[in-house]
Amino acid sequence: MDSAEVKEKVLKILDDFGMSGVKAAEAMGVTYATFRNKKNDNAKGHLFHEKNYQDLVKYIKLLSENLPNLN
């Protein structure tokens, strides 16, 4: 997956789940400033990587596993 695809997937997840940049940065294990740089198209050298995407997905899966059962 190239960096444009990764960015698109990351941004879709943030939009679908209504996640803030602060929470996304925490999930990815980066600072909020780094997250903003990666999200900003004009920031040179700051790109979302596959690991950022995987960390975000892993975080969401972990949260969903800990939801209470409503049966």
Side-chain angles (χ1 to χ4, degrees):
M1 211 175 348
D2 72 1
S3 61
E5 290 175 308
V6 173
K7 181 178 181 179
E8 185 178 315
K9 286 185 173 195
V10 167
L11 295 179
K12 177 152 177 35
I13 288 173
L14 299 182
D15 185 51
D16 288 351
F17 286 92
M19 288 181 74
S20 71
V22 173
K23 189 52 76 175
E26 178 185 322
M28 291 181 201
V30 299
T31 66
Y32 179 62
T34 298
F35 170 81
R36 280 193 342 251
N37 285 334
K38 288 175 182 264
K39 189 176 176 187
N40 183 354
D41 287 330
N42 298 325
K44 297 189 190 255
H46 295 279
L47 304 170
F48 285 113
H49 298 284
E50 181 76 23
K51 182 181 182 326
N52 299 132
Y53 172 74
Q54 290 173 358
D55 288 343
L56 187 57
V57 170
K58 187 166 103 177
Y59 176 81
I60 291 170
K61 285 181 179 181
L62 179 66
L63 287 181
S64 67
E65 289 172 359
N66 293 321
L67 289 174
N69 190 352
L70 300 176
N71 290 341

